[in-house]
Amino acid sequence: MNRSMVRFLLAKLLLIEAGLLSVPLAVTLIYHEGWPVFTSLLATMGILIVLGLAGSIIKPKNYRIYTKEGLLIVALCWILWSFFGALPFVFSGQIPSLIDAFFEVSSGFTTTGATILPDTAVLSHALLFWRSFTHLIGGMGVLVFALAIMENSKNAHLEVMRAEVPGPVFGKVVSKLKDTAQILYIIYLIMFAIFAVILWACGMPIFDSLITAMGGAGTGGFAVYNDSIAHYHSSLITIVVSIGTLLFGINFNLYYFLLIRKFKVFFGDEELRTYLGIVAVATLLIFLNIFHLYGSWSQSLQYSFFEVSNVITTTGFGITNLTKWPLFSQTILLMLMIIGGSAGSTAGGFKVMRSLIVTKITKNQILKTLYPNRIMSLHVNHTPLDKATQHNILKYLAVYTMIFLGLVMVISLDNNNLMVVVSAVASTFNNIGPMLGTADTFAIFSPWAKFLMSLAMIAGRLEIYPVLLLFIPKTWSKY
């Protein structure tokens, strides 16, 4: 293993995080928030700069890295960024517990949106901004952002980006990987800016529109107020947020094809059609199931569409008390939590593409029992899917299921409400945010459970393997 290269790249990434902290630092000056917040951010930046310079001053002799190094860099970067990103909350005293702060920032970078805060009013404007800014950076990927601005390191880009980008199949929109990262981030940031402007035009204050747009773009769901989108009492804002989050749950590669006028590729994408179909069916079923609660078809449809779009994209903005919804509707939402958004989007979950492929594999296996001599092939977007990819998806499903059930068993030692435990695991492991079965925050769990769920959030965002490899001794061997 090329440890010097791992050390060198991690040091560079710490320097990038120090630079990102200058944004909330500027917010403290705009809102005149005093020395405690300013110094907490400045102290964290100082620590990151010292560690970053110390780790990068000696350049590696060999810049070559392989899959193992790429996986380690990704996993360690997300954990380190979450740890150091939590320090301003601890230093300022606004979240005194390091574990709570680590949970909150892990939730931010992984775009989960789960929180331990009973009231967001305890946070200053600067730390409220930093909390949501982590959504914006983590949405498209911490490392994708870094690779878009870092200098080339031979094949380092390929192995690192391959390890971080979600989905069963890794692809580039252009031949050069750095150009792909830049194109995707430019599309992402332009969409974020448009989203923020539209929210501001709908009546949101500028600060609120930026926070909400960062939460929607990153499909994270951190909001300015405890009652989230319900605070604004606006049907227009509710509809805009519903549509906005839904758009960020689409594979960003498709937006590139849309920009270069490959309309058939965009509208003919099988995952996109499945994604929109799931949203339509789930919205209709929940609408019919909750209509008696509200007595208004427009309000029932508005709430149904809002919650479906926010849950399937793993955003987690809130507008109503889901604990009062019928069990049937809550069960549908729980299923959407697991499915998640499209591969290559900012959304979390198992991914629509994987769910689609697993469904097709199951269908082929059933047909195989009826027609043993028939040769079965599997196509996605009219392209044959090779057996190796199919097997990898089934292996991922097996690992995903075992870890999910294991987390449920362990977290059940901390809480005896089955719906709360299952939804808490689904929420963190699939990077969703809200829990079902309770109106409380994640503060109800003990420190060890919150720490475990923090790791679950990172593992879920990185699709398990990079974090899992940290606990395997052979990963750390020299060869």
Side-chain angles (χ1 to χ4, degrees), residues 307-319:
E307 294 298 348
V308 167
S309 65
N310 273 268
V311 168
I312 195 169
T313 59
T314 68
T315 305
F317 284 130
I319 197 171

Side-chain angles (χ1 to χ4, degrees), residues 353-427:
M353 178 61 83
R354 282 200 183 93
S355 302
L356 177 64
I357 293 171
V358 169
T359 302
K360 289 190 173 189
I361 292 172
T362 304
K363 177 186 174 183
N364 280 359
Q365 289 303 310
I366 293 171
L367 291 174
K368 193 73 175 176
T369 61
L370 295 174
Y371 310 103
N373 299 322
R374 184 175 172 181
I375 298 174
M376 301 290 178
S377 60
L378 194 154
H379 291 73
V380 177
N381 292 326
H382 309 292
T383 303
L385 196 68
D386 59 88
K387 290 291 183 182
T389 303
Q390 294 181 44
H391 291 158
N392 287 338
I393 290 170
L394 292 175
K395 290 172 188 175
Y396 181 83
L397 176 60
V399 173
Y400 173 93
T401 304
M402 285 189 293
I403 293 178
F404 185 92
L405 293 175
L407 286 169
V408 169
M409 286 184 63
V410 175
I411 300 299
S412 66
L413 296 171
D414 196 54
N415 193 294
N416 59 8
N417 185 315
L418 182 62
M419 178 60 85
V420 170
V421 170
V422 173
S423 65
V425 171
S427 179

Side-chain angles (χ1 to χ4, degrees), residues 133-160:
F133 192 48
T134 58
H135 277 339
L136 188 66
I137 299 301
M140 186 58 70
V142 167
L143 277 298
V144 176
F145 170 78
L147 297 182
I149 63 174
M150 282 171 65
E151 72 278 5
N152 288 310
S153 298
K154 295 188 177 180
N155 76 319
H157 283 179
L158 178 63
E159 297 301 338
V160 170

Side-chain angles (χ1 to χ4, degrees), residues 309-364:
S309 65
N310 273 268
V311 168
I312 195 169
T313 59
T314 68
T315 305
F317 284 130
I319 197 171
T320 186
N321 188 354
L322 296 179
T323 60
K324 295 181 179 179
W325 279 18
L327 183 60
F328 177 75
S329 294
Q330 292 190 47
T331 303
I332 291 174
L333 293 177
L334 188 62
M335 292 170 65
L336 296 178
M337 284 182 179
I338 295 172
I339 294 171
S342 303
S345 71
T346 59
F350 187 68
K351 299 294 183 298
V352 173
M353 178 61 83
R354 282 200 183 93
S355 302
L356 177 64
I357 293 171
V358 169
T359 302
K360 289 190 173 189
I361 292 172
T362 304
K363 177 186 174 183
N364 280 359

Side-chain angles (χ1 to χ4, degrees), residues 193-270:
I194 293 171
F195 192 21
V197 170
I198 292 173
L199 288 169
W200 174 71
C202 290
M204 271 193 182
I206 293 176
F207 183 80
D208 292 24
S209 65
L210 288 171
I211 296 295
T212 305
M214 286 190 285
T219 60
F222 280 154
V224 180
Y225 304 100
N226 270 39
D227 52 354
S228 194
I229 304 303
H231 178 84
Y232 302 99
H233 303 289
S234 169
S235 296
L236 180 59
I237 288 175
T238 301
I239 293 168
V240 168
V241 170
S242 302
I243 295 172
T245 55
L246 203 63
L247 292 175
F248 282 99
I250 294 172
N251 190 330
F252 274 78
N253 288 3
L254 293 180
Y255 289 127
Y256 174 75
F257 293 129
L258 195 62
L259 287 173
I260 60 174
R261 299 183 179 182
K262 289 189 176 181
F263 301 116
K264 286 186 178 180
V265 176
F266 182 87
F267 292 106
D269 185 74
E270 197 170 355

